[in-house]
Amino acid sequence: MTNDVENAVLVEQIATAAKEALEPKLWDYVVGGAGRESTVARNRQAFDAWGFRRRVLRNIQTVETSTSLLGEELAIPVFLSPIGSLELLHREGARASAQAAGQYGTTFFYGVNSATPMQDVVDAGRGQPIFQLYVRDGRDWWQPLLESVERLGFRALCITVDVPVIGRRDRDIRNHFFALTASDTRRPNLSAAAGFSDPSRLHGLDWDVLKDIVAATRLPVIVKGIQDPADALLAVEAGAAAVYVSNHGGRQLDDEPATLEILPGIVDAVQGRAKVLMDGGITHGIDVVKALALGADAVGVGKMQALALASGGAPGVVRLLQLFEEEIRNTLYQLGVASVGALGRDALHPLSRIDRDRPWIA
Ligand SMILES: Cc1cc2nc3c(=O)[nH]c(=O)nc-3n(C[C@H](O)[C@H](O)[C@H](O)COP(=O)(O)O)c2cc1C
C-alpha cells in the first residue's frame, strides 16, 4: 500500500488507499465530525461557492509557491495541522509527519496529546516544529512544559481554544471509540496534568490565562480555533502573532459556518496586525489558492494529512504535499498570477451551484 501511495497521481487515490488501510472505526474517527456532520460538509462545500476570475496574456514564465511563516520558509503555504493521535493511524505516528514536513519543506504542528515524545519529533524533522498546546492544567503544569518546548527549539506555540469539551461525534459514539482516555498512560506530555483525569475538559482557559501564557514564553503564539472577528481582535490584543481560523475540521460543533466563509471577515478585522492561518475542508491545491485569495497567509491540512499518513507513512505525506504543489502551480499559471503572495480577492468570482451528478449530455 505504501508504495501505491508514494506514487499516487491524484489526491483521491490517497483517500481510497487510506479507507482500505484503516479499521472502520479509525476511518470514522478521522473523517467524521460533530453531530450529523454538517460543519464537516460545509467546510468542504464552501470551496465550491468560489471560482476563478482569470486574466490572460500575462506571460508568466515562472511561479513562486514559497512563503515564510513566523521565520520558517515553507515550499508551499500549506502546513500539517496538529493531530494529537497520529500514533493510532500509523506506527511511526508524529515522527513520520515531522519527517515528511522536513523532507518536503514545510512545518508540522506537534500535538501535546501525542504519544511520541517531543524530543523524537524535533530529531525527526529538519525544520523547527510548532508545539500545539491544550491547556489541561494550571501554571504549575504548563510553565515547565513550555520551558522544555523552548529548550528543544520549537519555533512557535499554538494554543487550541475551541475545545472547552470534546465534541459529540456521532460516529465515535456509535462505535464506542474514544481516542484519549483517562487510563491512557502513553501520553508523555499529559501525565503530570491533573486535568488529565478528565481528558474531556480543558482547564479554566480564558483570555487572562492566554495573556499569562503569552507573557511567560518567548515563542510567538498562534491562537487556534478562532471563528469570530471580535475574538480575532481579542487574540491580537492578547499578543497573538497569528490568528488561526479553524472549527477543528467540523469535529467540535455541528451547524457552524465553514471556515472559508468566516475567513474574509477575520482578515478584515485583523488588518495585517497578525498572520492569519486557516484550516477546514482543504483537500486539493486549488482549495489552497482560494483560501489565500481570501486572505489566509497559510493553510493547514488535517484529515488529508491523517489519511496520507495512515496509507503511506512519511512518503505518503510527502506525496500529498507534492500533489498540492503541482495543483497550486498549475492554478497560478492559469490565473496569470506569478506568486502565492500576489493572490487577492480579485482572483475569485462567486459561482453558481452545479449538480455534479448531472451528466453534461443527456
Ligand atoms: C484525527 C484528528 C485529530 C485531531 N487532533 C487535534 C489536536 O490534537 N489538536 C488540535 O488543535 N487539533 C486537532 N485536530 C484538528 C486539526 O488540527 C484541524 O484543525 C482540522 O483537522 C482541519 O480540518 P480538515 O481535517 O478538514 O483539514 C484533529 C483533527 C483530526 C482529523
Side-chain angles (χ1 to χ4, degrees):
M1 191 58 65
T2 301
N3 200 27
D4 294 352
V5 171
E6 258 178 86
N7 298 315
V9 288
L10 292 174
V11 167
E12 280 68 18
Q13 294 170 325
I14 296 178
T16 305
K19 190 161 190 184
E20 284 167 20
L22 283 170
E23 262 181 84
K25 68 175 192 301
L26 282 173
W27 168 262
D28 278 349
Y29 165 64
V30 171
V31 304
R36 282 161 294 162
E37 302 179 353
S38 82
T39 309
V40 180
R42 200 169 291 106
N43 273 354
R44 178 66 223 130
Q45 290 176 24
F47 287 92
D48 297 341
W50 290 105
F52 294 108
R53 180 166 164 184
R54 295 170 66 145
R55 301 301 304 274
V56 296
L57 299 179
R58 289 198 166 168
N59 191 19
I60 303 287
Q61 294 295 323
T62 56
V63 291
E64 182 54 62
T65 61
S66 69
T67 191
S68 80
L69 176 64
L70 304 175
E72 177 123 4
E73 276 298 304
L74 312 185
I76 51 174
V78 178
F79 55 83
L80 303 179
S81 293
I83 296 183
S85 48
L86 293 172
E87 292 73 20
L88 294 174
L89 307 175
H90 188 271
R91 62 184 185 288
E92 292 287 320
R95 237 177 253 111
S97 274
Q99 198 189 334
Q103 191 183 329
Y104 174 75
T106 187
T107 196
F108 163 69
F109 283 60
Y110 164 82
V112 65
N113 287 357
S114 180
T116 303
M118 53 176 132
Q119 173 82 60
D120 292 13
V121 158
V122 173
D123 294 344
R126 257 183 246 149
Q128 294 174 280
I130 293 171
F131 187 90
Q132 178 263 321
L133 179 72
Y134 283 124
V135 179
R136 288 200 172 273
D137 205 343
R139 192 177 196 119
D140 290 349
W141 173 70
W142 55 254
Q143 186 144 332
L145 185 66
L146 294 188
E147 281 162 15
S148 306
V149 168
E150 290 182 14
R151 186 167 28 81
L152 286 173
F154 281 83
R155 175 167 298 274
L157 174 67
C158 167
I159 304 177
T160 298
V161 298
D162 61 1
V163 188
V165 290
I166 291 179
R168 283 181 56 80
R169 300 172 191 157
D170 285 10
R171 295 193 203 209
D172 291 352
I173 293 169
R174 199 176 300 119
N175 294 337
H176 302 286
F177 179 78
F178 302 99
L180 185 63
T181 59
S183 59
D184 190 341
T185 51
R186 293 165 304 161
R187 316 278 175 154
N189 306 312
L190 300 188
S191 50
F196 189 43
S197 59
D198 178 3
S200 66
R201 288 195 71 82
L202 288 195
H203 180 87
L205 181 60
D206 61 16
W207 292 104
D208 287 333
V209 175
L210 181 73
K211 284 182 197 159
D212 287 347
I213 297 176
V214 171
T217 180
R218 52 185 170 74
L219 298 180
V221 171
I222 301 166
V223 182
K224 176 173 187 274
I226 294 292
Q227 294 166 41
D228 189 282
D231 281 344
L233 285 181
L234 288 171
V236 172
E237 280 162 22
V243 167
Y244 187 156
V245 181
S246 176
N247 56 27
H248 226 89
R251 302 167 74 76
Q252 280 299 107
L253 187 59
D254 216 351
D255 295 328
E256 286 194 283
T259 46
L260 194 76
E261 291 172 312
I262 55 179
L263 172 68
I266 291 175
V267 170
D268 290 345
V270 169
Q271 287 187 328
R273 281 173 289 170
K275 291 276 186 189
V276 179
L277 312 181
M278 78 81 87
D279 67 20
I282 290 176
T283 57
H284 287 81
I286 202 168
D287 307 329
V288 177
V289 175
K290 291 181 188 179
L292 295 181
L294 290 175
D297 290 297
V299 302
V301 280
K303 289 188 263 298
M304 279 314 306
Q305 172 199 171
L307 298 181
L309 181 80
S311 55
V317 178
V318 170
R319 187 64 194 135
L320 176 74
L321 292 164
Q322 289 169 340
L323 289 173
F324 271 75
E325 179 176 338
E326 284 175 24
E327 293 177 356
I328 293 168
R329 279 188 187 283
N330 186 284
T331 308
L332 290 178
Y333 277 118
Q334 305 262 16
L335 293 178
V337 173
S339 72
V340 286
L343 283 164
R345 291 182 195 172
D346 58 354
L348 298 182
H349 258 312
L351 282 187
S352 54
R353 290 262 165 189
I354 54 158
D355 178 355
R356 288 191 192 268
D357 294 331
R358 211 162 110 192
W360 67 274
I361 191 160

